Amino acid sequence: MRPSLATFALVAVTSSLPVCRAAFAQQPAPPAPAPAPTPTPAPVPTPPPAAPPAAATPPAAPPTAPAGGSLDLTTLRELLDRGVISQMEYDAAMRDIAPSTGEQRAGEATSLAFGKWATTIYGFIEGDFIYDNTQSFNDLAGNALVARPNGQAPPQNPNQPNIQQTYAGSNGQTQFSIRNTRFGFRLKPPAVGEIRTSAMLEMDFLGTQTIGSGTGQVTENAFFTSPVARIRHAMFRIETPVVDFLIGQYWDLFGWQNLYHPNTVEIQGLPGELYSRNPQIRISKTIHAHPITLELAIAAKRPPSRGSEAPEGEGGVRLAVDDWTGMQTMGATATSIMPASIALTGDYRRFEVPAADSLVPTKTVTTTSTSVAADAFLPVLPASKDKRDNALSLTGEIAYGAGISDLYTGLTGGVVFPAIPNNTGLAAAPAWPQNIDNGLVNYDITGFALHPIQWTTYIVGLQYYLPALGGKVWVSANYSHTQSRDTSLLGNYSATSDFARVGTGVPGGAGVNAAIDPNRYYYPNSTAQVRAGEDWWDVNLFYDPLPSVRLGAEFAEFLDHYVDGFTATNLRGQVSGYFLF
């Protein structure tokens, strides 16, 4: 039993050795627990959860996304900075948009980019508050005649009756209008090699309406509160390394519009200012030869009447001095840094109208006309993108031509076509089939020769941007003169009525004491209703309180000189606000 106990004890001892060995091995472990705290700091690196921010950095990739094909809301300037459009494409966009909102706002115009496609939305909201001391005009005065006041008989002609005693010429009016509000879209697809294309659609709310309550007319309330939208520009360009093409409705090349339009609060076009847009096909070439830029252009455009079988032709050359720049505001909203420049343009027209020597025309009478215009922009006190104040600049335009009244806003001079003699026994006088607008051409009714009506116009403007204000406050002034050598021959000289028969007392008109003869041709309007010339001037003050807001105030005087020697006057005060986008 003892051996078995010994054996048992031996087994117990041997079986406990591993435990003792383990226990012995742990004896040096007491120092080990000290290192154990070191693992505890290890959790401190757990800040790696900050790794998510690192993952957030990838969202920086979206800027390049548009090039890949996602829709992006941005601006033209950002598209240029990111390389989505080139400098040449950016400059082309400025050429189209800046004439409405100015270069600074144009660069910030909202653009939708999808890959290399970009659509830019631009324009302005305008509110006009206008007072006139006569009722001669709507909100847009243009070249309309100033109404003669009551009791104003022509002093130079004692035989002339006091036929123009008008209510409109003796009473004032106040108008509130938003019709000059404008918006547009410019589209730019990707370039194809070195060929770039673009298109623009621009509209305002000065569409054709007539105030009144009769058939085909609108009420005065509807005229101002529900105006009709109209197309200003609808065109596209194809620009190549050789020449550029423009197709659609755009500014007329004659007068190199709109680069020389004066700065004014008044809605343009102004009296004596070339201001017109027409459907056309234009070919142009721009030659950059620093320090000058030369532009050449020719255009075929809509003829003065659709009865003319030949299109109207225009051509011009423009020279700019690249480094001689100044501040220029075209119209009321388009402020930009522009180089000094001069432009010469010409216009050729062919007129084809029905002969007026019979009640039912059987043949066509034709005539042609040529016109020339010179325009200039001169920075007297220069400006640059870094210096926009204490800047003075001058604009000027002179035009001499015939048959071009439709290239101005509302210019007819009161001239209308002759009345057809009523020798048919009809109760109503027969109507001549007129296929052309009044004021362009007219007949010498003594021989039925067709003559384009001649006009000479010039307009000069001054703009001064006050010092120390960053170009945010400026004043401007303009003066224009309009005259015609032909209109004095296109009014009758009746002593007893508004109408007169053809006589021998005055070339192309009627005898001073003649009475109407319904069996002869006659000019319906008298010399007291036809303009010999007009003078117009205004002064303006502008202020930009915010980048997108502009305020302007104007005082203007219209002096309308009638053929009978009387001058009718209209005084206008206007305050306007503009929100540019």
Side-chain angles (χ1 to χ4, degrees):
M1 213 159 141
R2 189 174 286 182
S4 58
L5 288 172
T7 305
F8 176 83
L10 182 61
V11 171
V13 170
T14 53
S15 62
S16 66
L17 285 177
V19 176
C20 295
R21 200 172 284 121
F24 180 80
Q26 286 181 347
Q27 306 227 331
T38 52
T40 37
V44 177
T46 49
T57 48
T64 55
S70 66
L71 188 63
D72 186 29
L73 186 63
T74 181
T75 68
L76 282 171
R77 192 167 288 115
E78 289 178 358
L79 292 175
L80 173 65
D81 293 340
R82 286 159 34 184
V84 178
I85 61 175
S86 67
Q87 183 66 51
M88 294 182 69
E89 290 172 320
Y90 180 82
D91 293 341
M94 291 300 101
R95 178 179 56 195
D96 292 336
I97 300 174
S100 287
T101 61
E103 63 180 5
Q104 287 186 309
R105 282 306 314 160
E108 299 299 324
T110 301
S111 297
L112 296 174
F114 186 81
K116 290 290 185 178
W117 277 85
T119 299
T120 303
I121 305 168
Y122 66 94
F124 55 82
I125 297 172
E126 177 176 341
D128 299 315
F129 314 96
I130 305 167
Y131 173 78
D132 293 289
N133 73 330
T134 74
Q135 298 178 7
S136 304
F137 312 127
N138 295 324
D139 47 358
L140 172 56
N143 292 268
L145 296 172
V146 178
R148 297 167 67 120
N150 291 328
Q152 294 296 330
Q156 288 87 352
N157 187 350
N159 294 319
Q160 181 71 45
N162 185 17
I163 60 173
Q164 283 288 16
Q165 296 180 354
T166 64
Y167 176 85
S170 302
N171 294 273
Q173 64 182 9
T174 296
Q175 303 177 83
F176 281 32
S177 176
I178 46 81
R179 299 196 315 135
N180 199 41
T181 293
R182 184 184 307 174
F183 67 94
F185 303 91
R186 186 181 188 275
L187 297 87
K188 185 210 74 68
V192 179
E194 294 186 69
I195 300 177
R196 304 188 310 273
T197 59
S198 62
M200 68 182 298
L201 175 65
E202 183 178 293
M203 306 182 73
D204 62 21
F205 296 89
L206 292 167
T208 302
Q209 286 178 289
T210 302
I211 295 179
S213 57
T215 304
Q217 297 179 320
V218 299
T219 64
E220 184 168 307
N221 177 67
F223 181 84
F224 287 106
T225 64
S226 302
V228 174
R230 69 167 182 177
I231 291 178
R232 288 172 55 85
H233 302 300
M235 66 82 176
F236 65 92
R237 281 195 180 93
I238 304 172
E239 298 172 279
T240 76
V242 182
V243 294
D244 300 333
F245 300 89
L246 184 152
I247 301 172
Q249 179 161 303
Y250 193 63
W251 293 111
D252 279 328
L253 180 59
F254 190 63
W256 211 286
Q257 301 178 59
N258 67 323
L259 292 184
Y260 301 96
H261 290 168
N263 173 222
T264 178
V265 174
E266 195 165 317
I267 301 175
Q268 297 194 5
L270 303 173
E273 174 196 13
L274 288 169
Y275 195 88
S276 56
R277 301 170 296 271
N278 273 289
Q280 61 189 276
I281 301 173
R282 183 185 300 189
I283 302 174
S284 61
K285 175 66 176 178
T286 301
I287 303 171
H288 298 281
H290 191 80
I292 64 171
T293 297
L294 179 66
E295 294 181 72
L296 307 170
I298 57 173
K301 50 170 277 193
R302 179 188 69 86
S305 76
R306 63 181 179 179
S308 300
E309 297 176 285
E312 179 177 349
E314 294 181 335
V317 56
R318 177 174 178 266
L319 180 68
V321 182
D322 301 332
D323 297 328
W324 185 10
T325 59
M327 286 283 281
Q328 181 185 13
T329 300
M330 298 170 286
T333 57
T335 303
S336 302
I337 299 295
M338 299 291 289
S341 65
I342 185 172
L344 299 174
T345 51
D347 179 275
Y348 172 83
R349 294 181 148 190
R350 177 180 173 86
F351 300 92
E352 302 180 28
V353 299
D357 57 351
S358 62
L359 181 57
V360 180
T362 58
K363 59 184 180 180
T364 297
V365 180
T366 65
T367 189
T368 60
S369 71
T370 56
S371 306
V372 293
D375 295 81
F377 170 68
L378 178 65
V380 179
L381 297 176
S384 65
K385 292 183 179 180
D386 299 323
K387 179 187 175 299
R388 294 175 174 267
D389 51 12
N390 193 31
L392 175 67
S393 58
L394 300 175
T395 57
E397 175 180 86
I398 182 170
Y400 177 91
I404 57 172
S405 62
D406 60 339
L407 302 186
Y408 300 81
T409 300
L411 176 61
T412 66
V415 174
V416 295
F417 279 97
I420 300 293
N422 187 13
N423 53 11
T424 61
L426 299 175
W432 176 68
Q434 181 177 334
N435 70 343
I436 192 170
D437 293 335
N438 286 321
L440 289 166
V441 294
N442 215 319
Y443 291 101
D444 172 2
I445 54 180
T446 59
F448 294 105
L450 186 66
H451 299 287
I453 300 172
Q454 189 275 335
W455 290 100
T456 299
T457 63
Y458 59 83
I459 182 168
V460 293
L462 174 150
Q463 306 174 30
Y464 178 62
Y465 298 79
L466 302 183
L469 296 172
K472 295 181 179 180
V473 180
W474 70 97
V475 293
S476 65
N478 304 283
Y479 168 75
S480 74
H481 177 74
T482 304
Q483 67 181 45
S484 173
R485 66 167 184 238
D486 294 334
T487 53
S488 61
L489 307 177
L490 301 172
N492 70 66
Y493 288 77
S494 168
T496 58
S497 73
D498 288 358
F499 308 104
R501 68 175 179 83
V502 177
T504 58
V506 179
V512 171
N513 294 307
I516 186 172
D517 182 351
N519 296 317
R520 305 288 298 272
Y521 287 90
Y522 57 88
Y523 295 116
N525 282 352
S526 74
T527 56
Q529 296 170 293
V530 177
R531 169 184 294 161
E534 181 180 23
D535 291 290
W536 171 88
W537 62 269
D538 80 339
V539 291
N540 305 270
L541 172 65
F542 286 91
Y543 170 49
D544 290 348
L546 297 168
S548 294
V549 176
R550 175 165 294 178
L551 304 174
E554 178 211 37
F555 178 79
E557 183 178 35
F558 301 73
L559 300 166
D560 211 345
H561 312 297
Y562 285 87
V563 171
D564 67 0
F566 181 77
T567 296
T569 302
N570 181 84
L571 301 177
R572 166 167 286 201
Q574 179 169 337
V575 176
S576 298
Y578 313 87
F579 177 83
L580 287 71
F581 60 87

